[in-house]
Amino acid sequence: IALLRVLKGGFMTPEVSMYLVLTIVFKMGMAAMMGYYLFKVNRWAGALFFLAAISFTHPLYTRFSDDALFMMMLYGGLYLVVQREKSQPFLIGMVVFTLLHVYFAVLQACGITDIMWIPTHNVRVEGLMGNPNGAAAAIALCIPAFFQKNLKYLLPIPILGLILIDCSGGAIGAILATTIYLFVEFKLWRVFIVAGGLIALVLFLCFVDTPVIDQRVYGWYKALVLYFKGFDLPFQKFLGVGIGNWKLFNDIAIKAGNIEPGWTRLHSTFIQGFIEMGFPFLVILTGYLTSLRKLRDPHMLAALGAIFIVCSANSVFHMNAVNGMFIVIWLSIIGKEHGRSDYRSRPRGNSDGSTP
């Protein structure tokens, strides 16, 4: 199927070698194979990989789509590994990362810019990450791992990190995750928990960092207008501009005068996923969220809350592989612990209950 797609797509031109064609066929086949194994674990994750195998060359193959598919393959492999192993080591890893992350943030806040062997040459407080957005998002994604019995006393450390990093996106995600966890865990105190979450949010936005909402909303609006009116490619309005290709099409539109220069990153995983993979992406996303409608575990719900905020405010998988890794780990743990029929990768037992 991949070979037919490549030949039909007109890849055989004088500038394209047979080696490149075979490489494209191989990568499409590997993505489809990964989708098959993921489908046996989670049908929606598998469907996303089948869609990525198509989006890899549709409407065109580029180095951006090549890089995006490579990262997806790594994420898919990580998802399967977490499915097979115990969850606790991954959660402890998130806690250890956060402690180191905040440690470096504290040193940076104290003006120490050359930390051990890592020269930062930057006055911004960003810990181990490349910018404050990613730094705060990492804490938000890891903070649900601190909700374990023996680790809750460490929670002031990530809270300190959020204050030092001074970025509202990650703080909103962390506050929402904490509020969700307490809301589900302590039913008798729900009114006070919600009120406390709102107060914490208002205090952070008023005294620490106020988010710039209008620029992001305007960027999303321009991107959606460009998506529906800016290009005339086969099935583009249904299947998107191709995985990883948003930056390329954005640059083309700027040079053509179809859009004003601005952010090349959309700062929204959901909108970027829609623009690159079209309406099937929205169907897969809706199906996945619907499959979790009976999820009740407070840790899992808290992680989903953090993921929702981080993905709404950042193009996570395009900008920061570390945060993308944290999200994939949580999604795999949620799938494994949830135990619904959508997560069917379980050893088949014999009639007497034993495992063959």
Side-chain angles (χ1 to χ4, degrees):
I1 293 175
L3 180 60
L4 291 174
R5 170 68 187 95
V6 170
L7 296 178
K8 188 175 183 301
F11 288 91
M12 290 302 297
T13 64
E15 294 80 15
V16 178
S17 66
M18 177 59 73
Y19 170 75
L20 177 59
V21 172
L22 293 177
T23 300
I24 294 173
V25 171
F26 170 76
K27 291 179 178 179
M28 291 180 67
M30 289 298 295
M33 185 182 300
M34 179 68 76
Y36 167 76
Y37 283 103
L38 281 170
F39 190 86
K40 297 199 297 183
V41 176
N42 181 315
R43 65 186 65 176
W44 301 110
L48 183 64
F49 266 79
F50 289 133
L51 177 60
I54 298 173
S55 183
F56 173 55
T57 59
H58 183 88
L60 73 164
Y61 166 79
T62 69
R63 65 182 180 88
F64 299 107
S65 63
D66 192 284
D67 291 343
L69 188 71
F70 175 74
M71 287 304 301
M72 280 201 67
M73 294 294 291
L74 295 180
Y75 288 136
L78 176 62
Y79 189 100
L80 292 174
V81 169
V82 177
Q83 283 281 312
R84 295 182 61 88
E85 303 297 331
K86 294 181 179 180
S87 302
Q88 190 64 14
F90 296 98
L91 298 178
I92 296 299
M94 291 185 189
V95 172
V96 172
F97 170 86
T98 304
L99 297 179
L100 290 173
H101 183 38
V102 176
Y103 166 73
F104 280 97
V106 170
L107 294 181
Q108 291 164 352
C110 293
I112 304 175
T113 56
D114 290 325
I115 304 169
M116 300 193 318
W117 65 93
I118 305 177
T120 62
H121 303 299
N122 201 322
V123 297
R124 298 186 304 181
V125 178
E126 55 194 27
L128 294 173
M129 311 300 276
N131 60 72
N133 286 333
I139 294 179
L141 293 171
C142 292
I143 206 166
F146 284 81
F147 297 156
Q148 303 175 75
K149 182 178 180 181
N150 297 325
L151 296 175
K152 295 177 182 178
Y153 64 92
L154 294 175
L155 275 172
I157 296 178
I159 293 174
L160 172 64
L162 289 171
I163 295 174
L164 293 177
I165 292 169
D166 188 18
C167 183
S168 57
I172 295 173
I175 292 172
L176 178 61
T178 305
T179 303
I180 291 175
Y181 173 79
L182 295 175
F183 185 87
V184 177
E185 190 76 355
F186 303 100
K187 298 180 180 180
L188 297 178
W189 299 90
R190 286 183 170 179
V191 174
F192 300 100
I193 290 169
V194 174
L198 292 175
I199 292 173
L201 178 62
V202 171
L203 290 175
F204 191 94
L205 297 181
C206 291
F207 297 102
V208 181
D209 180 54
T210 302
V212 184
I213 300 295
D214 55 340
Q215 291 185 14
R216 298 201 176 196
V217 173
Y218 182 60
W220 300 336
Y221 168 75
K222 289 195 303 181
L224 292 173
V225 170
L226 180 64
Y227 174 80
F228 287 107
K229 296 183 178 180
F231 303 104
D232 186 18
L233 297 168
F235 301 104
Q236 174 255 313
K237 290 180 176 59
F238 179 73
L239 290 177
V241 300
I243 182 174
N245 283 337
W246 159 249
K247 185 179 185 298
L248 171 65
F249 282 92
N250 182 69
D251 292 343
I252 293 174
I254 291 175
K255 293 178 181 179
N258 295 334
I259 189 174
E260 299 175 4
W263 287 337
T264 57
R265 302 298 185 184
L266 280 174
H267 291 273
S268 174
T269 301
F270 302 125
I271 294 179
Q272 190 151 351
F274 166 67
I275 289 178
E276 292 184 352
M277 291 189 280
F279 286 97
F281 171 79
L282 297 182
V283 173
I284 293 171
L285 178 62
T286 302
Y288 174 74
L289 295 177
T290 302
S291 71
L292 299 177
R293 62 187 180 276
K294 294 184 179 180
L295 183 65
R296 296 294 182 268
D297 185 277
H299 298 85
M300 308 298 110
L301 290 172
L304 282 177
I307 291 171
F308 174 78
I309 296 298
V310 169
C311 288
S312 297
N314 298 276
S315 299
V316 178
F317 299 99
H318 300 72
M319 296 178 65
N320 195 306
V322 176
N323 286 340
M325 176 186 68
F326 291 145
I327 291 176
V328 171
I329 289 174
W330 273 121
L331 294 180
S332 186
I333 291 175
I334 290 170
K336 179 170 55 176
E337 302 296 335
H338 189 27
R340 285 178 53 83
S341 59
D342 291 303
Y343 308 94
R344 301 187 299 275
S345 182
R346 302 287 186 272
R348 294 183 179 180
N350 295 322
S351 57
D352 60 355
S354 62
T355 301

